[in-house]
Amino acid sequence: MADLKEAVRKALLFLDFKGKTIVLKAEQEKALYSLLEGNDVLAVLPTGFGKSMIFTMFSVAAQERTLEAVSVLVISPLNSITTDQIADLEGLCEAAEFKADNLTAILKDPPHFIFASAEKVLEERFPRALKDFSSVLHKRISLIVVDESHSRNVDGKKGVFVHSFLFVNSCKESYRLPTSKIRKKFGF
C-alpha cells in the first residue's frame, strides 16, 4: 500500500506542476486506490463530482508506479462529453478521440487516453488489435472506463451502448484487462 500512496502522491505533484491542483474527495480516493490495486470499480457519483478525475489520477499514478506508458480507454456515449474531457486533459497528457481516420495512429502509438463511442469500440479492427497480445495497444491499455451517464435502453431494446458493456466483459475475460464503470447518479 505504501507504493500506491507514493504513486498517488507523485501523481498529485505532477498534476500540481502542470497547473491542476487536486484535492481528492474520499469517494474518489477510495475508487482510485481500488483501481490501482487491480480491482473492478463501479462509481455511482453525482454530476460534477469529478468522476473523470478518478481515471485521470489512475493513469498518472499507474505510470508513476510502473514507469511504463499507460493508456486508458474511455467509452462514452456523447461527443460533447468526449470533447470536454479531451479539452480538460490538454497540457496534462495525450488524449485522442478514436475515429475511423486515426485508428492506425492509435494502434501504433496509443495516447494516454483513448475516447471512443460504443459503436467505434465494437468495430472489428479495434477489438482484433486489442486481442493481439503482441500489439502496443494491448500492452498499454491498463484500464477500460465505461461512462454510460446519458444512455438508457429505449422500449426495452438493447442499444449499442449496452453492447459496450458486453465488450468490456469480454475484454476482462479474454484480453485480461482491468475494467471500471463510471456512472452518473440520477435522481430518478
Side-chain angles (χ1 to χ4, degrees), residues 34-35 38-42 172 177-181:
S34 189
L35 287 172
N39 298 312
D40 292 345
V41 171
L42 172 62
K172 180 169 178 55
L177 297 171
T179 59
S180 172
K181 298 173 186 89

Side-chain angles (χ1 to χ4, degrees), residues 123-184:
E123 287 179 5
E124 183 183 341
R125 288 178 64 202
F126 191 83
R128 186 176 49 213
L130 195 56
K131 192 176 185 177
D132 178 0
F133 291 95
S134 66
S135 75
V136 177
L137 181 67
H138 180 86
K139 291 175 183 175
R140 283 206 194 155
I141 293 286
S142 298
L143 181 67
I144 298 175
V145 177
V146 177
D147 181 352
E148 58 88 40
S149 59
H150 298 284
S151 180
R152 294 188 293 243
N153 289 343
V154 179
D155 299 326
K157 297 178 184 174
K158 287 184 180 179
V160 171
F161 207 75
V162 172
H163 291 288
S164 71
F165 283 107
L166 299 174
F167 171 77
V168 168
N169 190 49
S170 74
C171 286
K172 180 169 178 55
E173 292 175 7
S174 302
Y175 311 153
R176 297 184 208 123
L177 297 171
T179 59
S180 172
K181 298 173 186 89
I182 306 293
R183 299 180 62 191
K184 179 169 128 183

